[in-house]
Amino acid sequence: MRAEWVYALRDATPVEGKPDTYRWRHRGAAEGPDWPLRNFQPREFECPLSGVLLLHIPTVDRLDRVRDRLNAPMLVTSGYRSPEYNLRVGGAQASYHMLGRAFDIKVREGARHMDIAQAALAEGFTGFGFYPTFVHIDTGPWRSWCQ
């Protein structure tokens, strides 16, 4: 884990049994000058239903590097999902969103779905879902699908 995370994690709680995974009660506990990601803000990762922010730090660091590779603005449309919210939106029963290890990404301009997937693959992402308006990426087992 990068040293820059040390201060950002002071208000976070480690998730038991999930190495390198931390929970903030709400994004306000993570926001501020110590937030270590260059390209994303805590609000992009919080659960819309619970307001909780849960991140697997190595995965979110990979996402930051994907954005650097693309050199195009990206929007995380779905980060962490509480089990209740995941059920509400029809997510997979064992969704990696519930582990802070999955993101739905919309590129605002300049990149195609395949550009996102190639950059994510180069940074170690292994799950890819292609939808009309976004790309899902995660660090679960190797797989891909189209909707």
Side-chain angles (χ1 to χ4, degrees):
M1 184 179 321
R2 294 185 299 129
E4 293 88 348
W5 279 102
V6 172
Y7 290 110
L9 295 176
R10 70 178 178 270
D11 294 322
T13 305
V15 176
E16 189 174 336
K18 306 286 183 200
D20 298 324
T21 304
Y22 294 84
R23 177 188 315 268
W24 289 262
R25 290 182 325 276
H26 54 85
R27 75 170 184 239
E31 290 178 330
D34 296 326
W35 180 250
L37 297 179
R38 294 176 306 282
N39 301 305
F40 301 98
Q41 293 302 312
R43 68 181 170 275
E44 294 181 79
F45 303 107
E46 76 176 340
C47 175
L49 182 63
S50 68
V52 168
L53 175 64
L54 185 142
L55 295 174
H56 180 252
I57 303 304
T59 301
V60 78
D61 277 341
R62 287 178 182 167
L63 180 65
D64 215 33
R65 293 191 306 267
V66 168
R67 165 56 181 85
D68 289 340
R69 280 180 179 273
L70 286 173
N71 196 30
M74 293 170 51
L75 175 66
V76 176
T77 59
S78 184
Y80 172 65
R81 295 178 186 166
S82 67
E84 296 81 12
Y85 185 67
N86 191 61
L87 184 63
R88 184 180 285 189
V89 299
Q93 188 173 11
S95 172
Y96 278 80
H97 284 281
M98 296 187 296
L99 301 174
R101 294 177 54 187
F103 312 104
D104 294 343
I105 304 295
K106 180 177 182 180
V107 174
R108 294 181 180 148
E109 57 189 57
R112 298 170 299 151
H113 283 56
M114 195 51 69
D115 296 331
I116 299 169
Q118 288 174 338
L121 180 62
E123 291 299 337
F125 283 89
T126 49
F128 303 90
F130 299 92
Y131 296 81
T133 60
F134 67 93
V135 175
H136 167 97
I137 59 175
D138 67 48
T139 55
W142 175 256
R143 67 213 186 289
S144 64
W145 65 93
C146 294
Q147 294 288 325

